[in-house]
mmCIF file of all heavy atoms in Angstrom:
data_model
loop_
_atom_site.group_PDB
_atom_site.id
_atom_site.type_symbol
_atom_site.label_atom_id
_atom_site.label_comp_id
_atom_site.label_asym_id
_atom_site.label_seq_id
_atom_site.Cartn_x
_atom_site.Cartn_y
_atom_site.Cartn_z
ATOM 1 N N GLN A 1 4.527 -12.772 12.147
ATOM 2 C CA GLN A 1 4.593 -13.242 13.548
ATOM 3 C C GLN A 1 4.436 -11.976 14.553
ATOM 4 O O GLN A 1 3.937 -12.388 15.613
ATOM 5 C CB GLN A 1 5.998 -13.840 13.753
ATOM 6 C CG GLN A 1 6.282 -15.081 12.999
ATOM 7 C CD GLN A 1 7.744 -15.531 13.117
ATOM 8 O OE1 GLN A 1 8.576 -14.908 13.720
ATOM 9 N NE2 GLN A 1 8.100 -16.603 12.370
ATOM 10 N N GLN A 2 4.694 -10.941 14.170
ATOM 11 C CA GLN A 2 4.562 -9.689 14.979
ATOM 12 C C GLN A 2 3.206 -9.106 15.059
ATOM 13 O O GLN A 2 2.879 -8.340 16.017
ATOM 14 C CB GLN A 2 5.673 -8.576 14.666
ATOM 15 C CG GLN A 2 7.065 -9.151 14.620
ATOM 16 C CD GLN A 2 7.494 -9.641 15.937
ATOM 17 O OE1 GLN A 2 7.300 -9.019 17.027
ATOM 18 N NE2 GLN A 2 8.086 -10.890 15.846
ATOM 19 N N ILE A 3 2.441 -9.475 14.137
ATOM 20 C CA ILE A 3 1.107 -8.791 13.897
ATOM 21 C C ILE A 3 0.085 -9.779 14.038
ATOM 22 O O ILE A 3 0.043 -10.945 13.464
ATOM 23 C CB ILE A 3 1.104 -8.042 12.483
ATOM 24 C CG1 ILE A 3 2.202 -6.972 12.547
ATOM 25 C CG2 ILE A 3 -0.387 -7.475 12.348
ATOM 26 C CD1 ILE A 3 2.303 -6.386 11.214
ATOM 27 N N GLY A 4 -1.040 -9.574 14.778
ATOM 28 C CA GLY A 4 -2.157 -10.481 15.084
ATOM 29 C C GLY A 4 -3.135 -10.689 14.167
ATOM 30 O O GLY A 4 -4.230 -11.114 14.479
ATOM 31 N N VAL A 5 -2.975 -10.085 12.881
ATOM 32 C CA VAL A 5 -4.006 -10.161 11.876
ATOM 33 C C VAL A 5 -3.345 -10.576 10.504
ATOM 34 O O VAL A 5 -2.084 -10.595 10.487
ATOM 35 C CB VAL A 5 -4.774 -8.770 11.624
ATOM 36 C CG1 VAL A 5 -5.362 -8.275 12.932
ATOM 37 C CG2 VAL A 5 -3.820 -7.697 11.081
ATOM 38 N N PRO A 6 -4.036 -10.935 9.548
ATOM 39 C CA PRO A 6 -3.526 -11.305 8.209
ATOM 40 C C PRO A 6 -2.573 -10.255 7.703
ATOM 41 O O PRO A 6 -3.054 -9.055 7.628
ATOM 42 C CB PRO A 6 -4.573 -11.684 7.401
ATOM 43 C CG PRO A 6 -5.724 -12.084 8.303
ATOM 44 C CD PRO A 6 -5.576 -11.102 9.502
ATOM 45 N N VAL A 7 -1.416 -10.630 7.211
ATOM 46 C CA VAL A 7 -0.454 -9.686 6.598
ATOM 47 C C VAL A 7 -0.201 -10.229 5.144
ATOM 48 O O VAL A 7 0.201 -11.353 4.997
ATOM 49 C CB VAL A 7 0.795 -9.553 7.440
ATOM 50 C CG1 VAL A 7 1.751 -8.612 6.644
ATOM 51 C CG2 VAL A 7 0.526 -9.136 8.877
ATOM 52 N N HIS A 8 -0.150 -9.315 4.186
ATOM 53 C CA HIS A 8 0.056 -9.757 2.760
ATOM 54 C C HIS A 8 1.083 -8.794 2.133
ATOM 55 O O HIS A 8 1.043 -7.532 2.409
ATOM 56 C CB HIS A 8 -1.207 -9.524 1.985
ATOM 57 C CG HIS A 8 -2.464 -10.368 2.596
ATOM 58 N ND1 HIS A 8 -2.515 -11.769 2.413
ATOM 59 C CD2 HIS A 8 -3.522 -9.915 3.465
ATOM 60 C CE1 HIS A 8 -3.710 -12.068 3.007
ATOM 61 N NE2 HIS A 8 -4.117 -11.136 3.648
ATOM 62 N N LEU A 9 1.831 -9.468 1.307
ATOM 63 C CA LEU A 9 2.881 -8.793 0.542
ATOM 64 C C LEU A 9 2.591 -9.022 -0.886
ATOM 65 O O LEU A 9 2.673 -10.199 -1.327
ATOM 66 C CB LEU A 9 4.228 -9.154 0.970
ATOM 67 C CG LEU A 9 5.440 -8.526 0.290
ATOM 68 C CD1 LEU A 9 5.429 -7.001 0.299
ATOM 69 C CD2 LEU A 9 6.646 -9.119 0.592
ATOM 70 N N PHE A 10 2.207 -8.001 -1.766
ATOM 71 C CA PHE A 10 2.087 -8.107 -3.120
ATOM 72 C C PHE A 10 3.227 -7.487 -3.772
ATOM 73 O O PHE A 10 3.488 -6.383 -3.549
ATOM 74 C CB PHE A 10 0.809 -7.412 -3.537
ATOM 75 C CG PHE A 10 0.555 -7.559 -4.987
ATOM 76 C CD1 PHE A 10 0.074 -8.798 -5.510
ATOM 77 C CD2 PHE A 10 0.743 -6.422 -5.849
ATOM 78 C CE1 PHE A 10 -0.205 -8.855 -6.814
ATOM 79 C CE2 PHE A 10 0.441 -6.596 -7.182
ATOM 80 C CZ PHE A 10 -0.007 -7.811 -7.729
ATOM 81 N N ARG A 11 4.022 -8.400 -4.446
ATOM 82 C CA ARG A 11 5.328 -7.956 -5.135
ATOM 83 C C ARG A 11 4.817 -7.548 -6.565
ATOM 84 O O ARG A 11 5.238 -8.214 -7.490
ATOM 85 C CB ARG A 11 6.350 -9.100 -5.132
ATOM 86 C CG ARG A 11 6.927 -9.342 -3.754
ATOM 87 C CD ARG A 11 8.048 -8.579 -3.514
ATOM 88 N NE ARG A 11 8.675 -9.040 -2.300
ATOM 89 C CZ ARG A 11 9.463 -8.249 -1.530
ATOM 90 N NH1 ARG A 11 9.734 -7.051 -1.925
ATOM 91 N NH2 ARG A 11 10.032 -8.710 -0.478
ATOM 92 N N GLY A 12 4.164 -6.467 -6.696
ATOM 93 C CA GLY A 12 3.942 -6.009 -8.039
ATOM 94 C C GLY A 12 4.865 -4.909 -8.427
ATOM 95 O O GLY A 12 5.971 -4.569 -7.844
ATOM 96 N N ASN A 13 4.592 -4.360 -9.719
ATOM 97 C CA ASN A 13 5.523 -3.256 -10.140
ATOM 98 C C ASN A 13 5.013 -1.929 -9.548
ATOM 99 O O ASN A 13 3.977 -1.995 -8.746
ATOM 100 C CB ASN A 13 5.442 -3.162 -11.730
ATOM 101 C CG ASN A 13 3.991 -2.922 -12.284
ATOM 102 O OD1 ASN A 13 3.321 -2.152 -11.673
ATOM 103 N ND2 ASN A 13 3.786 -3.610 -13.294
ATOM 104 N N GLU A 14 5.564 -0.882 -9.877
ATOM 105 C CA GLU A 14 5.250 0.451 -9.125
ATOM 106 C C GLU A 14 3.836 0.769 -9.398
ATOM 107 O O GLU A 14 3.031 1.253 -8.412
ATOM 108 C CB GLU A 14 6.125 1.559 -9.639
ATOM 109 C CG GLU A 14 7.616 1.405 -9.214
ATOM 110 C CD GLU A 14 8.347 0.518 -10.136
ATOM 111 O OE1 GLU A 14 7.842 -0.041 -11.032
ATOM 112 O OE2 GLU A 14 9.660 0.381 -9.938
ATOM 113 N N ALA A 15 3.227 0.584 -10.572
ATOM 114 C CA ALA A 15 1.897 0.957 -10.911
ATOM 115 C C ALA A 15 0.868 0.093 -10.143
ATOM 116 O O ALA A 15 -0.086 0.541 -9.469
ATOM 117 C CB ALA A 15 1.606 0.838 -12.404
ATOM 118 N N GLU A 16 1.217 -1.193 -10.058
ATOM 119 C CA GLU A 16 0.419 -2.156 -9.298
ATOM 120 C C GLU A 16 0.426 -1.842 -7.856
ATOM 121 O O GLU A 16 -0.643 -1.862 -7.103
ATOM 122 C CB GLU A 16 0.886 -3.551 -9.563
ATOM 123 C CG GLU A 16 0.519 -4.016 -10.926
ATOM 124 C CD GLU A 16 1.287 -5.256 -11.432
ATOM 125 O OE1 GLU A 16 2.107 -5.654 -10.702
ATOM 126 O OE2 GLU A 16 0.886 -5.878 -12.349
ATOM 127 N N ASP A 17 1.618 -1.537 -7.378
ATOM 128 C CA ASP A 17 1.615 -1.142 -5.853
ATOM 129 C C ASP A 17 0.849 0.115 -5.627
ATOM 130 O O ASP A 17 0.177 0.192 -4.518
ATOM 131 C CB ASP A 17 3.154 -0.937 -5.501
ATOM 132 C CG ASP A 17 3.944 -2.233 -5.267
ATOM 133 O OD1 ASP A 17 3.317 -3.310 -5.237
ATOM 134 O OD2 ASP A 17 5.080 -2.135 -5.144
ATOM 135 N N LEU A 18 0.981 1.127 -6.411
ATOM 136 C CA LEU A 18 0.216 2.328 -6.248
ATOM 137 C C LEU A 18 -1.372 2.099 -6.282
ATOM 138 O O LEU A 18 -1.986 2.606 -5.414
ATOM 139 C CB LEU A 18 0.514 3.327 -7.345
ATOM 140 C CG LEU A 18 -0.091 4.812 -7.286
ATOM 141 C CD1 LEU A 18 0.549 5.524 -5.928
ATOM 142 C CD2 LEU A 18 0.286 5.614 -8.475
ATOM 143 N N TYR A 19 -1.775 1.331 -7.143
ATOM 144 C CA TYR A 19 -3.188 0.845 -7.273
ATOM 145 C C TYR A 19 -3.579 0.117 -6.027
ATOM 146 O O TYR A 19 -4.681 0.417 -5.465
ATOM 147 C CB TYR A 19 -3.497 -0.002 -8.491
ATOM 148 C CG TYR A 19 -4.871 -0.413 -8.549
ATOM 149 C CD1 TYR A 19 -5.940 0.517 -8.776
ATOM 150 C CD2 TYR A 19 -5.198 -1.802 -8.425
ATOM 151 C CE1 TYR A 19 -7.270 -0.011 -8.845
ATOM 152 C CE2 TYR A 19 -6.457 -2.265 -8.541
ATOM 153 C CZ TYR A 19 -7.539 -1.357 -8.679
ATOM 154 O OH TYR A 19 -8.879 -1.821 -8.709
ATOM 155 N N MET A 20 -2.733 -0.810 -5.558
ATOM 156 C CA MET A 20 -3.077 -1.578 -4.351
ATOM 157 C C MET A 20 -3.244 -0.686 -3.222
ATOM 158 O O MET A 20 -4.281 -0.712 -2.418
ATOM 159 C CB MET A 20 -1.909 -2.558 -4.079
ATOM 160 C CG MET A 20 -2.430 -3.508 -2.863
ATOM 161 S SD MET A 20 -0.986 -4.397 -2.119
ATOM 162 C CE MET A 20 -0.030 -3.138 -1.357
ATOM 163 N N LEU A 21 -2.366 0.228 -2.916
ATOM 164 C CA LEU A 21 -2.436 1.168 -1.849
ATOM 165 C C LEU A 21 -3.740 2.009 -2.053
ATOM 166 O O LEU A 21 -4.507 2.188 -1.068
ATOM 167 C CB LEU A 21 -1.244 2.083 -1.756
ATOM 168 C CG LEU A 21 0.005 1.584 -1.085
ATOM 169 C CD1 LEU A 21 1.120 2.650 -1.176
ATOM 170 C CD2 LEU A 21 -0.177 1.094 0.280
ATOM 171 N N SER A 22 -4.143 2.444 -3.205
ATOM 172 C CA SER A 22 -5.240 3.296 -3.454
ATOM 173 C C SER A 22 -6.605 2.544 -3.096
ATOM 174 O O SER A 22 -7.528 3.177 -2.835
ATOM 175 C CB SER A 22 -5.325 3.889 -4.859
ATOM 176 O OG SER A 22 -5.732 2.838 -5.752
ATOM 177 N N GLN A 23 -6.503 1.224 -3.147
ATOM 178 C CA GLN A 23 -7.686 0.439 -2.874
ATOM 179 C C GLN A 23 -7.843 0.002 -1.386
ATOM 180 O O GLN A 23 -8.760 -0.689 -1.027
ATOM 181 C CB GLN A 23 -7.648 -0.899 -3.754
ATOM 182 C CG GLN A 23 -7.693 -0.472 -5.231
ATOM 183 C CD GLN A 23 -8.999 0.325 -5.589
ATOM 184 O OE1 GLN A 23 -10.038 -0.067 -5.349
ATOM 185 N NE2 GLN A 23 -8.619 1.520 -6.068
ATOM 186 N N CYS A 24 -6.945 0.525 -0.490
ATOM 187 C CA CYS A 24 -7.079 0.263 0.909
ATOM 188 C C CYS A 24 -7.928 1.303 1.553
ATOM 189 O O CYS A 24 -8.199 2.393 0.922
ATOM 190 C CB CYS A 24 -5.606 0.212 1.464
ATOM 191 S SG CYS A 24 -4.642 -1.260 0.909
ATOM 192 N N ASP A 25 -8.271 1.049 2.807
ATOM 193 C CA ASP A 25 -9.151 1.945 3.565
ATOM 194 C C ASP A 25 -8.379 2.890 4.309
ATOM 195 O O ASP A 25 -8.848 4.034 4.622
ATOM 196 C CB ASP A 25 -10.115 1.175 4.388
ATOM 197 C CG ASP A 25 -10.950 0.150 3.698
ATOM 198 O OD1 ASP A 25 -11.719 0.621 2.864
ATOM 199 O OD2 ASP A 25 -10.849 -1.043 3.990
ATOM 200 N N TYR A 26 -7.180 2.665 4.607
ATOM 201 C CA TYR A 26 -6.225 3.594 5.255
ATOM 202 C C TYR A 26 -4.850 3.292 4.690
ATOM 203 O O TYR A 26 -4.554 2.168 4.311
ATOM 204 C CB TYR A 26 -6.161 3.252 6.761
ATOM 205 C CG TYR A 26 -7.390 3.657 7.640
ATOM 206 C CD1 TYR A 26 -8.467 2.805 7.647
ATOM 207 C CD2 TYR A 26 -7.318 4.845 8.308
ATOM 208 C CE1 TYR A 26 -9.508 3.156 8.481
ATOM 209 C CE2 TYR A 26 -8.523 5.172 9.061
ATOM 210 C CZ TYR A 26 -9.581 4.391 9.146
ATOM 211 O OH TYR A 26 -10.647 4.728 9.851
ATOM 212 N N ILE A 27 -3.920 4.244 4.738
ATOM 213 C CA ILE A 27 -2.538 4.064 4.334
ATOM 214 C C ILE A 27 -1.657 4.619 5.320
ATOM 215 O O ILE A 27 -1.970 5.710 5.852
ATOM 216 C CB ILE A 27 -2.349 4.817 2.918
ATOM 217 C CG1 ILE A 27 -3.271 4.363 1.864
ATOM 218 C CG2 ILE A 27 -0.862 4.730 2.495
ATOM 219 C CD1 ILE A 27 -3.176 5.131 0.466
ATOM 220 N N MET A 28 -0.650 3.996 5.667
ATOM 221 C CA MET A 28 0.507 4.526 6.506
ATOM 222 C C MET A 28 1.844 4.191 5.889
ATOM 223 O O MET A 28 1.995 3.280 5.185
ATOM 224 C CB MET A 28 0.381 4.087 8.027
ATOM 225 C CG MET A 28 0.838 2.654 8.206
ATOM 226 S SD MET A 28 1.118 2.221 9.928
ATOM 227 C CE MET A 28 -0.386 2.523 10.659
ATOM 228 N N GLY A 29 2.731 5.130 6.240
ATOM 229 C CA GLY A 29 4.148 4.758 5.816
ATOM 230 C C GLY A 29 5.044 6.068 5.987
ATOM 231 O O GLY A 29 4.414 7.088 6.408
ATOM 232 N N ALA A 30 6.235 5.902 5.582
ATOM 233 C CA ALA A 30 7.164 6.985 5.568
ATOM 234 C C ALA A 30 6.654 8.080 4.729
ATOM 235 O O ALA A 30 5.861 7.883 3.822
ATOM 236 C CB ALA A 30 8.587 6.577 5.141
ATOM 237 N N LYS A 31 7.045 9.413 4.965
ATOM 238 C CA LYS A 31 6.512 10.493 4.109
ATOM 239 C C LYS A 31 7.016 10.339 2.756
ATOM 240 O O LYS A 31 8.261 10.063 2.437
ATOM 241 C CB LYS A 31 7.142 11.783 4.808
ATOM 242 C CG LYS A 31 6.617 13.112 4.108
ATOM 243 C CD LYS A 31 7.130 14.275 4.785
ATOM 244 C CE LYS A 31 6.521 15.482 4.264
ATOM 245 N NZ LYS A 31 6.950 16.739 4.945
ATOM 246 N N SER A 32 6.001 10.253 1.783
ATOM 247 C CA SER A 32 6.361 9.909 0.506
ATOM 248 C C SER A 32 5.213 10.426 -0.473
ATOM 249 O O SER A 32 4.033 10.387 -0.151
ATOM 250 C CB SER A 32 6.417 8.403 0.379
ATOM 251 O OG SER A 32 6.206 8.058 -1.027
ATOM 252 N N THR A 33 5.650 10.861 -1.571
ATOM 253 C CA THR A 33 4.588 11.488 -2.556
ATOM 254 C C THR A 33 3.966 10.125 -3.195
ATOM 255 O O THR A 33 2.747 10.331 -3.617
ATOM 256 C CB THR A 33 5.258 12.297 -3.664
ATOM 257 O OG1 THR A 33 6.332 11.577 -4.321
ATOM 258 C CG2 THR A 33 5.680 13.601 -3.075
ATOM 259 N N PHE A 34 4.657 9.033 -3.211
ATOM 260 C CA PHE A 34 4.029 7.804 -3.795
ATOM 261 C C PHE A 34 2.798 7.489 -3.044
ATOM 262 O O PHE A 34 1.675 7.319 -3.621
ATOM 263 C CB PHE A 34 5.069 6.709 -3.701
ATOM 264 C CG PHE A 34 4.578 5.425 -4.296
ATOM 265 C CD1 PHE A 34 4.754 5.261 -5.722
ATOM 266 C CD2 PHE A 34 4.019 4.407 -3.573
ATOM 267 C CE1 PHE A 34 4.368 4.066 -6.263
ATOM 268 C CE2 PHE A 34 3.679 3.245 -4.228
ATOM 269 C CZ PHE A 34 3.860 3.030 -5.567
ATOM 270 N N SER A 35 2.772 7.338 -1.640
ATOM 271 C CA SER A 35 1.603 6.976 -0.886
ATOM 272 C C SER A 35 0.657 8.166 -0.838
ATOM 273 O O SER A 35 -0.557 7.888 -0.767
ATOM 274 C CB SER A 35 1.988 6.641 0.474
ATOM 275 O OG SER A 35 2.810 7.681 1.143
ATOM 276 N N LEU A 36 1.085 9.378 -1.010
ATOM 277 C CA LEU A 36 0.204 10.515 -1.089
ATOM 278 C C LEU A 36 -0.673 10.511 -2.287
ATOM 279 O O LEU A 36 -1.820 10.765 -2.302
ATOM 280 C CB LEU A 36 0.996 11.848 -1.019
ATOM 281 C CG LEU A 36 0.076 13.095 -0.989
ATOM 282 C CD1 LEU A 36 -0.737 13.120 0.263
ATOM 283 C CD2 LEU A 36 0.954 14.368 -0.952
ATOM 284 N N VAL A 37 -0.081 10.103 -3.510
ATOM 285 C CA VAL A 37 -0.814 10.010 -4.691
ATOM 286 C C VAL A 37 -1.842 8.791 -4.585
ATOM 287 O O VAL A 37 -3.008 8.899 -4.973
ATOM 288 C CB VAL A 37 0.117 9.715 -5.872
ATOM 289 C CG1 VAL A 37 -0.587 9.360 -7.160
ATOM 290 C CG2 VAL A 37 0.960 10.961 -6.111
ATOM 291 N N ALA A 38 -1.398 7.739 -3.914
ATOM 292 C CA ALA A 38 -2.359 6.589 -3.720
ATOM 293 C C ALA A 38 -3.577 7.158 -2.921
ATOM 294 O O ALA A 38 -4.743 6.770 -3.213
ATOM 295 C CB ALA A 38 -1.709 5.492 -3.007
ATOM 296 N N SER A 39 -3.390 7.909 -1.948
ATOM 297 C CA SER A 39 -4.389 8.488 -1.183
ATOM 298 C C SER A 39 -5.386 9.439 -1.890
ATOM 299 O O SER A 39 -6.580 9.367 -1.804
ATOM 300 C CB SER A 39 -3.823 9.358 0.000
ATOM 301 O OG SER A 39 -4.915 10.103 0.642
ATOM 302 N N PHE A 40 -4.785 10.094 -3.002
ATOM 303 C CA PHE A 40 -5.595 10.967 -3.897
ATOM 304 C C PHE A 40 -6.612 10.213 -4.630
ATOM 305 O O PHE A 40 -7.805 10.737 -4.787
ATOM 306 C CB PHE A 40 -4.586 11.665 -4.720
ATOM 307 C CG PHE A 40 -5.303 12.383 -5.994
ATOM 308 C CD1 PHE A 40 -5.910 13.554 -5.794
ATOM 309 C CD2 PHE A 40 -5.198 11.798 -7.322
ATOM 310 C CE1 PHE A 40 -6.504 14.213 -6.828
ATOM 311 C CE2 PHE A 40 -5.731 12.437 -8.268
ATOM 312 C CZ PHE A 40 -6.520 13.618 -8.142
#
């Protein structure tokens, strides 16, 4: 409701979430080694 574009939530396990983030074109979030590894 707050965002004017499609929003998706994939409830995967940790490995699937890491892979999902790594397949995005940009990543944002709280400071975290998890998202940093996805960027890698």
Side-chain angles (χ1 to χ4, degrees):
Q1 292 170 3
Q2 303 303 312
I3 299 168
V5 301
V7 178
H8 305 278
L9 176 62
F10 181 74
R11 293 269 189 203
N13 61 38
E14 292 87 354
E16 292 165 344
D17 283 350
L18 187 64
Y19 175 68
M20 184 195 71
L21 281 178
S22 77
Q23 297 305 297
C24 290
D25 301 302
Y26 290 84
I27 299 170
M28 77 164 57
K31 190 173 183 179
S32 161
T33 53
F34 187 84
S35 57
L36 184 61
V37 170
S39 170
F40 167 72

